[in-house]
Amino acid sequence: DTGVSQDPRHKITKRGQNVTFRCDPISEHNRLYWYRQTLGQGPEFLTYFQNEAQLEKSRLLSDRFSAERPKGSFSTLEIQRTEQGDSAMYLCASTPLAGAYNEQFFGPGTRLTVL
Amino acid sequence: GEDVEQSLFLSVREGDSSVINCTYTDSSSTYLYWYKQEPGAGLQLLTYIFSNMDMKQDQRLTVLLNKKDKHLSLRIADTQTGDSAIYFCAESPNAGNNRKLIWGLGTSLAVNP
């Protein structure tokens, strides 16, 4: 298994543009999480999927953000009309549904810079 | 509310012990975690402790849990320059069964030769 992968690793965009990020979790991992990390901060929870169902969304996730996991495998996170405040590292993590201690396996992240 | 607090910086000499402290708020958390983040690398689980334990030792790492005070600490024995990184404390509240992680701000550990 190659671990959690994320694409792209870096994205620079202009304010007002739309961006989409992709996360490929570890195979067979039912649970998938998106977090956002800004400089000097810990990760903040954004949203959670169990298989294809999005079961929780943080209040941080404004209506410009949407996430999907259509077949219960990979997930996408889209940000519409980006703002400079969206600049951050977007992290994806996965874990099996019945994991013994819920270790979340993290991808390398997508660093978004909004100019 | 959900809040995990950590001291932001720690500087030690190579070979000394490092102790990183954390306080958390949700007593329902079944597991508490320490993650390590190195520059340019993803978050890596270092160790965890089950909430009914008060100590866990794993090679150079010792985790102490004081559930009454909601205090967690990570001790790294014989700290090496390769241990320089940001260390995050995280809890996983049981509410909602989604097992999301609530994170501290991270403690930046600098190990001086």
Side-chain angles (χ1 to χ4, degrees):
Chain A
D1 200 328
T2 57
V4 178
S5 61
Q6 293 187 243
D7 182 69
R9 295 289 304 274
H10 303 272
K11 178 70 178 178
I12 299 173
T13 191
K14 292 182 180 178
R15 190 176 53 184
Q17 298 294 305
N18 300 343
V19 295
T20 300
F21 310 141
R22 178 182 169 118
C23 169
D24 285 89
I26 294 172
S27 302
E28 312 297 325
H29 279 193
N30 311 86
R31 298 178 187 257
L32 185 147
Y33 303 83
W34 285 98
Y35 294 88
R36 180 174 67 188
Q37 185 179 21
T38 52
L39 199 62
Q41 303 289 315
E44 295 173 298
F45 169 77
L46 292 180
T47 190
Y48 161 65
F49 289 86
Q50 184 170 308
N51 299 313
E52 66 278 5
Q54 187 176 22
L55 297 185
E56 184 172 348
K57 290 171 60 172
S58 164
R59 289 181 298 245
L60 293 173
L61 222 60
S62 75
D63 56 8
R64 297 184 297 105
F65 288 71
S66 61
E68 294 182 342
R69 194 183 183 196
K71 296 181 181 177
S73 56
F74 73 91
S75 176
T76 58
L77 177 69
E78 181 184 15
I79 309 174
Q80 296 183 324
R81 304 181 304 281
T82 51
E83 302 172 356
Q84 287 184 322
D86 297 331
S87 296
M89 178 76 86
Y90 289 84
L91 300 166
C92 176
S94 71
T95 189
L97 191 62
Y101 50 90
N102 194 43
E103 176 180 359
Q104 293 189 15
F105 295 83
F106 281 82
T110 294
R111 181 169 295 283
L112 173 65
T113 302
V114 182
L115 302 176
Chain B
E2 301 170 336
D3 203 4
V4 176
E5 296 187 351
Q6 301 178 235
S7 51
L8 296 183
F9 300 101
L10 178 64
S11 180
V12 300
R13 286 190 307 183
E14 190 173 19
D16 288 351
S17 292
S18 307
V19 180
I20 303 172
N21 294 301
C22 167
T23 57
Y24 62 97
T25 57
D26 197 317
S27 57
S28 75
S29 294
T30 304
Y31 295 100
L32 296 140
Y33 307 89
W34 285 102
Y35 275 80
K36 180 181 181 182
Q37 187 174 44
E38 295 179 274
L43 284 156
Q44 176 191 0
L45 180 66
L46 206 54
T47 187
Y48 68 96
I49 188 166
F50 189 47
S51 61
N52 71 352
M53 299 169 66
D54 52 19
M55 187 180 89
K56 180 181 178 183
Q57 188 145 6
D58 183 1
Q59 299 182 333
R60 292 190 298 121
L61 306 178
T62 303
V63 180
L64 296 178
L65 175 61
N66 180 329
K67 202 171 179 183
K68 173 176 170 288
D69 296 336
K70 298 191 183 70
H71 183 265
L72 185 72
S73 69
L74 173 69
R75 180 177 179 269
I76 306 173
D78 187 25
T79 313
Q80 302 298 306
T81 54
D83 295 323
S84 294
I86 302 176
Y87 291 81
F88 290 96
C89 170
E91 62 175 340
S92 183
N94 282 344
N97 200 32
N98 59 25
R99 307 293 176 88
K100 68 185 179 188
L101 295 177
I102 308 299
W103 301 77
L105 295 181
T107 299
S108 181
L109 174 64
V111 182
N112 305 305

